[in-house]
Amino acid sequence: MEMFHLALQLKALNLELSEDMLVHLVLISLPNQFSQFKISYNCQKEKWSLNELISYCVQEEERLKQDKTESAHYASTSKDKGKKRMNEAVKGPNAKKNKQDKDKKGCFFCDKDDHVKKDCPKYHAWRAKKGLPELPKAK
């Protein structure tokens, strides 16, 4: 329709385009969704007038709207967000190693089994060297 109006404006300026040329310009300006429509036009022996082309374009546009399928995406979240991520991390290639670390008893700082981290002399020395305050004594 826009090209039809432009053609009328050109005609008012004594620059007239032939109807075949105008139909051709309209066809090449159609978007990619009309590719099947263009192919069917090019396969015909008869040529359409501008009014016929407009009416067929309207029909094709309606057909494309009907063929267009609507879809919705569903997303949900779990109440146990943190647990799920933790389980996913444990299931990786180091799952066995992570499981052993959880079951391990003893000091996590120096890896000795006879004490825990809060009682580790090396850990207390390290904290003192860093200038960190002493840990409170256990009751």
Side-chain angles (χ1 to χ4, degrees), residues 12-72:
L13 297 171
N14 293 330
L15 296 169
E16 194 169 341
L17 292 175
S18 69
E19 191 166 4
D20 289 341
M21 177 64 115
L22 198 53
V23 167
H24 177 72
L25 290 173
V26 169
L27 282 171
I28 61 173
S29 70
L30 290 174
N32 288 338
Q33 292 90 350
F34 287 82
S35 61
Q36 195 66 36
F37 178 75
K38 293 178 195 178
I39 291 170
S40 66
Y41 174 78
N42 289 328
C43 291
Q44 294 182 34
K45 289 184 179 179
E46 67 180 63
K47 301 297 176 194
W48 296 336
S49 69
L50 188 59
N51 288 333
E52 288 174 320
L53 177 64
I54 291 171
S55 67
Y56 291 140
C57 279
V58 169
Q59 288 175 6
E60 181 69 9
E61 191 173 16
E62 290 299 318
R63 188 191 67 77
L64 288 172
K65 283 181 185 176
Q66 288 176 354
D67 286 352
K68 193 176 190 180
T69 57
E70 293 183 18
S71 63

Side-chain angles (χ1 to χ4, degrees), residues 66-80:
Q66 288 176 354
D67 286 352
K68 193 176 190 180
T69 57
E70 293 183 18
S71 63
H73 298 283
Y74 176 73
S76 66
T77 58
S78 172
K79 292 180 183 177
D80 301 326

Side-chain angles (χ1 to χ4, degrees), residues 83-99:
K83 289 181 183 177
K84 182 178 178 184
R85 288 194 180 139
M86 184 125 171
N87 289 341
E88 288 173 0
V90 172
K91 290 179 185 176
N94 297 328
K96 199 172 200 179
K97 183 180 176 185
N98 289 341
K99 178 82 171 141

